[in-house]
């Protein structure tokens, strides 16, 4: 379990990282937390010839809230978000961060790496779509901002050019009256979910759904925005019947594949249930209730 | 019952016992400056001696060891399950910088004898080489190896080994194997490597007399493993000068391995040296690592006598170390009387041992140690088959061979109970062997030493809150919820009689059971114990120290137990290893015997030196450390002085004491006979620890995920030498079983690809999946062993039985029959769909006969 030979480079600044990416060519890769890349390298399923370490680039590890927006640096670890004030005010972020793998992976893995990896089962790619998120990228031409829905194009594929780096995410702070939840079913702790659902709802007059975002994870090549499911809630009361309709619409939107995590039919059933439960939690949070929620695990 | 209460219930027994021990303390001890100590250390829940070393990172595992000039080996493995090898080209790899040599199967074939086959007849013709020669028979089978200066170089170079294959049709299921359309070992001519009928009583007569005959369709016990934290590791040096082979290695049954290696490699057994210190878990899976041990030794020899290390990766471990046995149960018929008492069972069982019968076909008889499980059934016929398939060879995984059979018996009990409308607890009470029938002779001549299953069940029900949950279940069912209650009764038979191998092969040259213990007083008076066991986390050092402390009247801290196993200690017989739940009996009795011999020698020496009669001496700890003294006087001699007399200061010692060595070796022998091979009858094992688990679970109506709502484990392993260690073993075994039932499955696709080659797919159980375990303990001392102890730790896969039972209870009203030992949300979803479409019709069928009987 040793990686194929590679050279190691430590970038001190974004500019240097970009320069190194250009110089070292297509087979060079950035390394952040290493929690996706290193296992692949050890199995020799990834064989970069050079690694460019961005862990020493300053200012990529910040969580800040400038005017109405949450700024999350690309190097922010899952554990940082789990324990952050932002996680406390936006519970969906906490649900997501705290449910990733185990303590070791959460301490090491980064949010930027997770989006750049674009794993179809990655939690951040699902959770952040339920909020208004844009990805800040830095390249030879300077900085550009890409809405998250345009950032991930396909499984393991983003719009990033080879010499581009994710530097931060900007998440619009949810308005008052809005609440969300990210819920997944996982067989055991250190594995990706079998299915996941992220829901953000805006509520008026106690039970009227003004707006909803419903995102499905692990049931397609990328996270899927279930627009029909959203429509089933928008402008309607959050009563059981409407929630069931939304869950069914979510099932119809899913496009899962069979694997060791479960059969396609089962994942479709499962994701609808997760949507339904996430709506319930999101609605309670939107009403200002403090609801502790966590993923579901086999046996418990 | 809440958690605090149940803990009390669980602990009350242990507490009572401790009190007794303390009371005893005032009797035995005349203190002479020594601190108060219990009369007996055996039975005390003292902390493990090995704990500090292990948790502070001072454990010594094989991969921590280095030898001068050490090389590294990397295996090139087959990606096919079944294929002819048409070409192996190592020339490019050999030229790679840092490579010292390579090995191929064809080359190895010229250097070794195939491994001994235990099976009779055609199975003797299987040519089991440690590397594939001209065909591969499972995915991951080694076809070549590269030996290099560094591990990295070995891994890099291995990519340059070229192998061409011509795929052959893979045989993946037991049923397909029996068809013999594609045969793995052509010399054997069939995939069925063993067959025998185990028949006792009069099955047909009982079927005729029965009130009900229940027919049950196919049941299947899945493949899973133990995934020890530490994979296999081998460090070996084949010294060209002496011809001796030195192994540092975590094989857990070194005597078995050396008996396979010596003839294969053409050396004497005394030339094979084996050593382990700490081992990161084994659970039986490391017993069959000897093919790798052979290749590594050959690599060392080819490299000119340089040491070679192999540290297995997790993927290698999952694909090609060992899995547990898979078993399919067909055409089952069960005869019952009108009260639900089972009169007879008739069934056909097909065990799947993977590509090579390594250690197998012993599994074809080991299950018979628990032939009637915990039940009184007298008439049994099991038509036993074993087949080879294109999957990883099996190894004796925790609960080996018995758990498969016990699971079958528990399914039979529950399916019959449900069919006849008898509740799970009642069904068991009607069929359990009674306490007053112990020792109980089974229809095949085994003797259950002691046990009180009904009482264990009562305790388990109490812990889990059975009656309360029954009420809740009834209410929940009305709301459409799927709540189920389940019981798993199981046995952990220990101290096996190897004579049962004769039932497999009348010519098998082994039988009985033995273990060695050595206790010596070293030159400065230190008490040193060498164990004939291979501990892997079971706390042997602690238990051994407790036994020796009692024998010599000292404390466990004064007993130095050498960690690990070392042939140099000479504490072995051909049975030496740690397997089959037995250390508490075999290992500790051997150590006790050795300690008593030492006590005898010390007594003779002290009597001479103190000019006293032996009967006036007592043993204890004085101001000068451990000593022997004359009762009621100040006359004493400590261990240093005694050791000094024999070792360093022995002029003037009378000739009558020259046989005193203070280095005492004792061999434990179990009192076993060779079974009657024709009738397949005899005592196959010495002790029977029991486990009764009870669980409540709910299958989520929307996710189909089973959630454990309450879980109780009740254990009875006779006298617990160290209750803390026993409880730890019960927790570990329970976690392992829950993992097997809900998460862990070595699934293969129809091409023979292992679908669970990484932990992402095998998903070994984590803390996130574990319920709170409610623990209870009963003690039915064994009449056959020292201290009444029984071996334990395998746990009999109690949770697999229990969870299947609870699932069955939850989903029976929906028409589901739980017919597999592994169930997930996904599989339950599909089971419910199958039930809806009538897929279980005919799976269970009852014939009601003369209801009068
Ligand atoms: C056992 C285990 C279980 C896991 N379970 C889960 C889970 O349940 N849910 C989940 O969401 N994830 C899970 N993960 C993945 C984890 O979240 C990773 O941290 C994440 O996918 C990648 O982040 P990283 O910082 O480790 O990236 P790295 O592994 O360092 O990099 C991943 C890829 O992204 C690129 N990259 C990294 N940073 C940047 C950047 N700033 N700009 C551009 N490209 C970049 C790298 O070049 C590389 O190609 C698991 C991982 C492991 C090992």
């Amino acid at each position: 379990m040793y990686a194929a030979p590679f050279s190691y480079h430590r970038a001190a600044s974004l500019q240097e990282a970009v320069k190194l990416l250009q110089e070292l060519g297509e087979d060079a890769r950035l390394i952040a937390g290493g929690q996706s890349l290193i296992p692949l390298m050890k199995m020799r399923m990834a064989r970069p010839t050079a690694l460019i370490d961005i862990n020493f680039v300053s200012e990529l590890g910040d969580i800040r809230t400038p005017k109405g927006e949450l700024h999350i640096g690309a190097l922010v670890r899952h554990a940082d978000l789990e324990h952050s004030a932002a996680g406390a005010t936006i519970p969906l972020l906490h649900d997501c961060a705290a449910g990733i793998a185990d303590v070791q992976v959460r301490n090491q893995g980064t949010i930027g790496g997770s989006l750049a990896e674009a794993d179809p089962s990655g939690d951040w790619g699902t959770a952040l779509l339920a909020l208004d998120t844009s990805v800040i990228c830095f390249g030879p031409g300077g900085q550009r901002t890409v809405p998250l829905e345009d950032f991930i194009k396909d499984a393991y594929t983003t719009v990033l050019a080879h010499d581009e780096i994710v530097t931060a995410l900007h998440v619009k702070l949810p308005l008052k009256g809005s609440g969300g939840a990210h819920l997944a079913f996982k067989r055991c702790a250190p594995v990706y979910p079998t299915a996941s659902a992220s829901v953000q709802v805006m509520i008026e007059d106690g039970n009227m759904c003004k707006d909803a975002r419903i995102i499905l994870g692990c049931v397609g090549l990328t996270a899927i925005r279930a627009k029909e499911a959203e429509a089933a809630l928008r402008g309607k009361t959050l009563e059981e019947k409407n929630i069931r309709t939304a869950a069914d619409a979510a099932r119809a939107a899913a496009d899962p594949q069979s694997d060791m995590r479960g059969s396609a039919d089962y994942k479709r059933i499962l994701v609808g249930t997760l949507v339904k439960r996430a709506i319930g939690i999101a609605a309670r949070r939107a009403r200002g209730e403090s609801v502790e929620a966590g993923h579901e695990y086999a046996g418990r | 019952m809440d958690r605090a209460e149940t803990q009390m219930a669980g602990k009350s027994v242990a507490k009572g016992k401790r009190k007794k021990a303390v009371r005893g303390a005032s009797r035995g001890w005349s203190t002479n400056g020594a601190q108060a100590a219990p009369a007996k250390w055996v039975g005390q829940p003292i902390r493990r001696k090995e704990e500090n070393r292990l948790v502070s990172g001072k454990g010594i595992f094989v991969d921590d060891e280095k030898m001068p000039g050490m090389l590294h080996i990397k295996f090139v493995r087959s990606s096919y399950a079944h294929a002819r090898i048409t070409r192996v080209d190592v020339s490019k790899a050999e030229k790679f910088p840092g490579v010292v040599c390579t090995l191929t199967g064809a080359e190895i074939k010229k250097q070794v004898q195939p491994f001994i086959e235990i099976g009779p007849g055609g199975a003797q013709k299987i040519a089991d080489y440690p590397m594939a020669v001209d065909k591969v028979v499972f995915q991951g089978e080694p076809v070549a190896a590269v030996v290099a200066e560094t591990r990295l170089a070995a891994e890099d170079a291995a990519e340059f080994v070229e192998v061409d294959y011509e795929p052959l049709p893979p045989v993946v299921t037991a049923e397909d194997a029996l068809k013999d359309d594609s045969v793995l070992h052509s010399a054997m001519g069939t995939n069925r490597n063993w067959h025998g009928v185990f028949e006792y009583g009069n099955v047909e007569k009982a079927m005729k007399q029965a009130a009900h005959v229940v027919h049950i369709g196919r049941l299947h016990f899945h493949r899973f493993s133990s995934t020890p934290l530490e994979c296999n590791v081998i460090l070996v040096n084949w010294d060209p000068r002496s011809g001796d082979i030195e192994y540092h290695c975590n094989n857990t049954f070194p005597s078995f391995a050396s008996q396979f290696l010596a003839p294969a490699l053409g050396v004497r057994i005394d030339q094979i040296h084996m050593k382990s210190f700490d081992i990161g878990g084994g659970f039986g899976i490391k017993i069959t690592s000897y093919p790798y041990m052979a290749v590594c030794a050959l690599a060392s020899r080819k490299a000119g006598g340089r040491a070679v290390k192999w540290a297995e990766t997790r993927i290698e471990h999952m694909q090609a170390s060992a899995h547990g046995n898979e078993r399919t149960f067909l055409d089952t018929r069960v005869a019952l009387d009108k009260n639900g008492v089972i009169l007879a069972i008739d069934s056909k069982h097909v065990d799947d041992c993977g590509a090579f019968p390594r250690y197998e076909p012993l599994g074809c008889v080991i299950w018979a140690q628990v032939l009637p499980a915990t039940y009184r059934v007298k008439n049994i016929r099991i038509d036993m088959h074993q087949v080879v398939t294109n999957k990883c060879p099996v190894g004796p995984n925790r609960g080996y061979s018995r758990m498969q059979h016990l699971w079958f018996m528990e399914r039979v009990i529950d399916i019959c109970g449900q069919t006849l409308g008898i509740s799970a607890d009642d069904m068991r009470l009607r069929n359990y062997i009674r306490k007053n029938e112990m020792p109980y002779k089974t229809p095949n001549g085994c003797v259950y030493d002691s046990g009180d299953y009904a009482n264990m069940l009562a305790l388990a029900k109490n812990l889990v809150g059975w009656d309360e949950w029954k009420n809740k279940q009834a209410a929940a069912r009305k709301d459409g919820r799927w709540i189920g209650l389940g019981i798993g009764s199981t046995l952990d038979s220990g101290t096996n009689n190897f004579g049962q191998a004769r039932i497999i092969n009348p010519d098998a040259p082994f039988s009985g059971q033995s273990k060695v213990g050595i206790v010596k007083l070293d030159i400065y008076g230190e008490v040193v114990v060498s164990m004939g066991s291979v501990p892997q986390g079971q706390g042997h050092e602690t238990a051994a120290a407790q036994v020796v402390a009692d024998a010599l009247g000292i404390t466990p801290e004064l007993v130095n137990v050498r960690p690990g196993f070392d042939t140099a200690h000479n504490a072995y017989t051909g049975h030496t290893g740690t397997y089959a739940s037995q250390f508490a009996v075999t290992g500790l009795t051997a150590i006790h015997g050795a300690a008593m011999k030492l006590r005898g020698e010390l007594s003779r020496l002290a009597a001479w030196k103190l000019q006293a009669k032996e009967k006036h001496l007592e043993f204890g700890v004085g101001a000068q450390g451990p000593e022997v003294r004359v009762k009621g006087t100040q006359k004493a001699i400590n261990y240093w002085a005694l050791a000094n007399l024999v070792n360093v200061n022995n002029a003037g010692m009378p000739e009558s004491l020259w046989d005193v060595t203070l280095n005492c070796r004792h061999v434990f022998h179990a009192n076993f006979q060779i079974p009657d091979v024709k009738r397949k009858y005899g005592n196959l094992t010495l002790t029977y620890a029991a486990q009764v688990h009870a669980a409540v679970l709910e299958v989520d109506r929307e996710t189909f995920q089973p959630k454990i709502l309450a879980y109780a484990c009740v254990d009875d392993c006779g006298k617990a030498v160290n209750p803390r260690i026993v409880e730890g073993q019960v927790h570990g075994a329970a976690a392992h079983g829950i993992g097997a039932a809900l998460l862990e499955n070595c699934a293969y696709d129809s091409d023979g690809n292992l679908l669970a080659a990484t932990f992402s797919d095998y998903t070994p159980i984590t803390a996130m999946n574990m319920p709170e375990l409610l623990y209870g303990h009963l003690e039915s001392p064994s009449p056959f062993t020292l201290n009444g102890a029984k071996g334990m730790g395998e746990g009999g896969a109690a949770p697999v039985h229990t969870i299947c039972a609870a699932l069955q209870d939850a989903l029976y009203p929906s028409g589901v029959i739980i017919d597999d030992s592994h169930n997930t949300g996904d599989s339950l979803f599909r089971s419910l769909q199958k039930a809806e479409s009538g897929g279980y019709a005919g799976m269970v069928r009852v014939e009601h006969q003369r209801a009068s009987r």
Side-chain angles (χ1 to χ4, degrees):
Chain A
M1 287 289 267
Y2 279 117
F6 60 89
S7 59
Y8 172 85
H9 310 264
R10 184 179 285 181
S13 66
L14 283 175
Q15 289 76 4
E16 191 185 354
V18 169
K19 205 170 119 233
L20 283 166
L21 279 169
Q22 289 173 328
E23 283 171 13
L24 296 164
E26 287 291 323
D27 292 330
R29 295 278 280 278
L30 298 175
I31 182 155
Q35 297 303 297
S36 288
L37 189 51
I38 302 250
L40 288 172
M41 287 170 64
K42 282 167 72 178
M43 291 188 280
R44 301 200 171 191
M45 286 158 74
R47 310 175 74 108
T49 51
L51 286 188
I52 301 159
D53 189 345
I54 55 171
N55 283 288
F56 298 85
V57 177
S58 52
E59 283 177 33
L60 292 187
D62 283 4
I63 305 177
R64 287 180 270 126
T65 21
K67 41 186 162 49
E69 230 177 31
L70 173 65
H71 168 106
I72 309 172
L75 283 183
V76 166
R77 315 279 155 176
H78 310 316
D80 296 338
L81 267 164
E82 180 184 356
H83 304 296
S84 67
T89 42
I90 311 176
L92 177 146
L93 295 179
H94 181 267
D95 293 349
C96 180
I100 291 175
D102 50 31
V103 176
Q104 292 92 323
V105 172
R106 290 199 290 276
N107 279 341
Q108 198 63 28
T110 68
I111 194 164
S114 189
L115 290 180
E117 178 69 15
D119 190 302
S121 307
D123 281 297
W124 286 121
T126 307
L128 291 171
L129 268 188
L131 302 169
D132 275 319
T133 305
S134 35
V135 184
I136 316 299
C137 312
F138 180 86
Q143 184 169 304
R144 66 169 170 149
T145 301
V146 186
L148 181 57
E149 43 274 43
D150 301 333
F151 179 77
I152 295 176
K153 293 204 301 194
D154 202 345
Y156 307 104
T157 314
T158 67
V159 297
L160 283 179
H162 168 66
D163 51 8
E164 250 184 323
I165 300 170
V166 175
T167 60
L169 308 170
H170 286 177
V171 182
K172 219 182 251 161
L173 291 179
L175 301 172
K176 222 171 160 270
S178 166
H182 176 74
L183 202 57
F185 171 76
K186 298 176 67 167
R187 290 161 301 156
C188 65
V191 299
Y192 282 103
T194 306
S196 64
S198 278
V199 172
Q200 186 77 22
V201 292
M202 176 75 163
I203 289 191
E204 264 181 358
D205 306 331
N207 210 25
M208 173 62 70
C209 177
K210 195 167 164 230
D211 200 5
R213 272 279 179 101
I214 299 178
I215 317 294
L216 319 177
C218 317
V219 290
L221 294 179
T222 64
I224 293 172
R225 182 159 176 195
K227 292 197 169 146
E228 305 265 312
E230 294 172 1
L233 296 184
R234 203 171 289 124
K236 310 230 171 68
T237 55
L238 286 179
E239 63 193 84
E240 209 188 310
K241 185 172 85 320
N242 295 334
I243 295 177
R244 211 179 318 125
T245 312
D248 286 341
R251 288 188 177 114
D255 184 19
Q257 287 181 358
S258 297
D259 57 21
M260 276 299 274
R261 292 183 219 165
S263 63
D265 284 348
Y266 174 66
K267 288 184 188 175
R268 195 185 291 282
I269 296 286
L270 184 61
V271 81
T273 303
L274 293 170
V275 164
K276 183 183 139 182
R277 291 181 184 172
I279 293 172
I281 299 164
R284 286 168 62 197
R285 285 175 174 162
R287 289 183 209 113
E289 251 182 81
S290 154
V291 184
E292 286 237 10
H295 297 339
E296 305 199 12
Y297 293 86
R300 222 165 90 171
Chain B
M1 195 185 284
D2 71 19
R3 171 128 176 95
E5 266 175 316
T6 48
Q7 276 186 336
M8 293 287 291
K11 289 233 171 90
S12 61
V13 182
K15 209 198 260 162
K17 192 174 53 213
R18 230 172 293 153
K19 248 189 227 142
K20 217 198 272 156
V22 174
R23 233 181 290 131
S26 52
R27 270 189 277 129
W29 276 81
S30 64
T31 40
N32 188 9
Q35 71 276 72
K40 257 171 93 77
W41 287 101
V42 167
Q44 299 297 319
I46 62 167
R47 283 201 162 279
R48 297 198 308 167
K49 275 171 94 75
E50 42 278 82
E51 243 153 41
N52 274 350
R53 174 174 90 239
L54 292 170
V55 300
S56 60
K58 291 182 187 135
I60 304 175
F61 298 88
V62 183
D63 204 15
D64 296 324
E65 303 268 32
K66 292 184 179 66
M67 282 192 192
M70 183 173 87
L71 302 170
H72 299 261
I73 189 167
K74 168 76 183 173
F75 290 96
V76 177
R77 295 173 182 276
S78 169
S79 47
Y80 289 96
H82 197 191
R84 213 177 308 287
I85 300 170
T86 54
R87 186 178 73 103
V88 179
D89 184 350
V90 290
S91 54
K92 286 191 189 117
E94 284 193 328
K95 292 196 195 92
F96 196 89
V99 169
V100 174
C101 63
T102 61
L103 281 170
T104 63
E107 191 182 343
I108 279 185
K109 186 184 174 189
K110 293 190 206 124
Q111 301 174 14
V112 303
Q113 292 295 318
F115 289 117
I116 297 170
E117 290 298 330
I118 296 173
Q124 287 289 321
K125 297 186 190 144
I126 296 173
D128 182 2
Y129 288 99
M131 231 190 239
V133 178
D134 37 39
K135 83 176 208 173
V136 291
V137 285
F138 64 100
Q139 187 182 51
E141 185 176 8
V143 291
V146 177
V147 182
E149 297 286 347
T150 65
R151 185 167 175 176
L152 184 55
E155 293 196 9
D156 286 346
E159 296 192 323
F160 293 92
V161 174
E162 292 168 12
V163 187
D164 291 341
Y165 299 96
E166 199 180 279
L168 295 166
V171 179
V172 183
T173 66
E175 280 114 319
D176 277 351
L178 280 175
K179 290 184 200 142
D180 281 340
D181 290 341
S182 175
V183 171
L184 271 73
H185 304 291
S186 56
M188 182 161 68
T190 169
N191 294 320
R192 190 175 72 172
N193 61 308
W194 199 82
H195 174 234
V197 180
F198 293 74
E199 184 162 7
Y200 308 94
N202 192 333
V203 173
E204 288 315 319
K205 193 170 154 207
M207 292 284 171
K208 283 206 195 87
Q209 289 179 344
H212 319 279
V213 176
V214 178
H215 299 252
I216 305 172
R218 181 183 188 271
L219 299 171
H220 175 250
F221 190 93
H222 77 297
R223 234 174 207 255
F224 63 93
S225 182
S226 291
T227 58
L229 268 184
E230 181 200 30
C231 296
N232 286 302
V233 190
I234 296 164
L235 170 57
V236 58
N237 187 38
W238 194 338
D239 192 322
R241 300 162 302 178
S242 62
D244 283 11
I245 306 176
E246 182 186 347
Y247 281 109
H248 291 250
C249 136
N250 56 13
N251 183 293
T252 55
F253 195 169
S255 284
F256 180 82
S258 58
Q259 288 170 78
F260 273 66
L261 286 167
L265 297 175
V267 297
R268 301 187 313 271
I269 283 203
D270 84 299
Q271 291 182 292
I272 300 180
H273 307 279
M274 286 203 214
K275 194 173 178 167
S276 64
F277 203 84
D278 291 306
I279 295 182
F283 314 98
I285 283 298
K286 289 172 176 165
I287 288 176
T288 45
S289 66
Y290 59 86
Y292 292 111
M293 294 171 75
V295 178
C296 293
L298 293 165
S300 169
R301 184 171 72 181
K302 190 170 179 190
R306 289 177 70 180
V308 170
K309 182 187 271 187
W310 176 58
E312 186 182 46
T313 66
R314 185 59 67 182
I315 292 177
E316 289 181 295
H317 185 79
M318 294 309 300
Q319 279 193 334
S321 63
H323 297 159
N325 296 53
E326 185 176 348
R327 200 170 289 171
T328 308
F329 310 90
L330 303 166
D331 309 328
T332 302
R333 286 187 303 155
V334 189
L336 302 104
D337 75 6
K338 65 177 197 299
N339 298 319
V341 172
I342 296 183
L343 304 174
I345 297 179
D346 180 24
S347 185
K348 173 178 170 179
H349 297 182
V350 188
D351 193 83
D352 170 355
C353 74
F356 289 103
R358 292 175 180 160
Y359 207 85
E360 298 298 336
L362 288 181
C364 291
V365 68
I366 301 275
W367 64 273
Q369 295 172 6
V370 294
L371 173 86
T374 48
Y375 305 109
R376 293 162 111 187
V377 50
K378 294 271 189 311
N379 306 295
I380 305 182
R381 175 167 58 212
I382 305 292
D383 181 12
M384 187 78 202
H385 305 251
Q386 189 175 64
V387 292
V388 290
T389 56
N390 292 117
K391 294 186 285 196
C392 178
V394 299
N397 188 32
R398 184 187 221 163
Y400 175 46
S401 184
R402 289 97 83 217
M403 67 176 163
Q404 288 82 351
H405 183 67
L406 290 158
W407 179 81
F408 164 75
M409 293 294 281
E410 289 296 273
R411 300 310 322 118
V412 163
I413 283 280
D414 283 319
I415 290 173
C416 291
Q418 259 147 344
T419 309
L420 302 180
I422 303 169
S423 67
D425 48 343
D426 217 12
M427 192 65 192
R428 284 174 174 78
L429 289 177
R430 292 180 197 192
N431 284 284
Y432 272 156
I433 295 161
R434 318 290 194 248
K435 183 186 177 185
N436 62 15
E437 291 169 333
M438 297 287 180
Y440 179 85
K441 195 164 223 169
T442 66
N444 61 332
C446 292
V447 182
Y448 289 5
D449 50 347
S450 63
D452 185 355
Y453 310 137
N455 209 359
M456 291 177 79
L457 176 59
L459 183 50
K461 280 172 60 184
N462 196 17
L463 281 170
V464 88
W466 186 270
D467 295 335
E468 221 174 289
W469 274 110
K470 271 271 168 203
N471 294 333
K472 284 191 207 162
Q473 178 190 37
R477 273 207 176 130
K478 288 199 192 108
D479 300 337
R481 287 169 64 191
W482 288 322
I483 288 188
L485 284 73
I487 296 164
S489 324
T490 198
L491 294 169
D492 188 352
S493 49
T495 306
N496 59 320
N497 173 5
F498 272 103
Q500 63 204 281
R502 305 284 176 99
I503 292 173
I504 293 298
N505 181 351
D507 299 326
F510 42 91
S511 67
Q513 179 58 260
S514 59
K515 287 286 177 299
V516 181
I518 297 173
V519 182
K520 70 172 177 180
L521 209 58
D522 222 320
I523 295 175
Y524 278 169
E526 312 95 326
V527 178
V528 179
V529 179
S530 300
M531 300 186 289
S533 66
V534 189
Q536 313 134 39
Q538 299 94 337
H540 288 184
E541 291 168 45
T542 309
Q546 287 175 268
V547 165
V548 173
D550 281 348
L552 298 179
I554 59 177
T555 64
E557 301 92 83
L558 292 167
V559 182
N560 302 284
V561 186
R562 288 175 163 171
F565 174 80
D566 193 335
T567 43
H569 297 164
N570 199 23
Y572 64 90
T573 68
H575 298 132
T576 287
T578 291
Y579 56 90
S581 293
Q582 51 164 281
F583 177 74
V585 175
T586 59
L588 290 182
T589 309
I591 289 164
H592 177 260
M596 292 310 286
K597 277 185 187 164
L598 178 65
R599 186 182 167 111
E601 290 193 354
L602 292 173
S603 175
R604 285 170 60 203
L605 264 185
W608 165 64
K609 192 66 191 170
L610 300 174
Q611 298 290 304
K613 286 210 159 56
E614 280 192 60
K615 64 177 182 205
H616 294 143
L617 298 177
E618 66 178 1
F619 282 66
V621 183
Q624 305 282 317
E627 64 180 20
V628 184
R629 54 188 171 248
V630 183
K631 274 184 226 163
T633 72
Q634 293 298 311
K635 280 201 325 192
I637 181 165
N638 73 4
Y639 282 14
W640 172 80
L642 287 164
N644 188 257
L645 276 179
V646 173
N647 290 299
V648 191
N649 194 14
N650 53 21
M653 183 155 73
E655 199 174 334
S656 63
L657 289 173
W658 286 5
D659 63 324
V660 169
T661 61
L662 300 183
N663 187 353
C664 300
R665 184 175 192 269
H666 182 77
V667 183
F668 164 83
H669 288 278
N671 186 13
F672 284 132
Q673 304 301 316
I674 290 169
D676 177 338
V677 170
K678 255 219 189 87
R679 289 164 62 214
K680 300 190 173 62
Y681 185 95
N683 193 6
L684 309 183
T685 211
L686 191 65
T687 65
Y688 287 84
Q691 302 253 318
V692 176
H693 289 198
V696 183
L697 58 74
E698 175 163 16
V699 178
D700 189 311
R701 279 212 79 113
E702 294 175 322
T703 65
F704 303 91
Q705 285 297 331
K707 293 195 182 305
I708 298 171
L709 305 176
Y711 200 98
C713 317
V714 174
D715 136 273
D716 181 353
C717 60
K719 174 77 185 168
V721 175
N722 184 322
R724 184 195 296 269
I725 293 177
V726 166
E727 191 172 343
Q729 290 285 319
V730 170
H731 275 245
H736 192 182
I738 295 170
L742 298 177
L743 289 145
E744 305 175 25
N745 182 17
C746 297
Y748 281 85
D749 71 9
S750 57
D751 291 328
N753 297 308
L754 177 63
L755 299 173
T758 70
F759 274 3
S760 292
D761 291 317
Y762 186 72
T763 56
I765 190 163
T766 60
M768 300 307 285
N769 306 99
M770 274 299 286
E772 295 282 342
L773 297 180
L774 308 167
Y775 176 74
H777 180 71
L778 277 187
E779 286 195 354
S780 306
S782 173
F784 305 146
T785 66
L786 175 76
N787 293 322
K790 302 184 187 190
M792 59 88 59
E794 293 189 72
V800 184
H801 320 328
T802 310
I803 288 172
C804 287
L807 288 172
Q808 179 70 79
D809 187 47
L811 301 181
Y812 190 71
S814 310
V816 171
I817 305 290
I818 298 296
D819 55 9
D820 202 290
S821 52
H822 183 68
N823 294 279
T824 63
D826 186 13
S827 73
L828 293 172
F829 162 68
R830 284 179 280 121
S831 297
L832 280 151
Q833 280 188 326
K834 179 173 163 183
E836 241 165 64
S837 60
Y840 289 104
M843 160 91 199
V844 176
R845 194 162 53 78
V846 206
E847 285 171 69
H848 297 290
Q849 298 180 180
R850 277 164 285 163
S852 60
R853 295 204 68 101

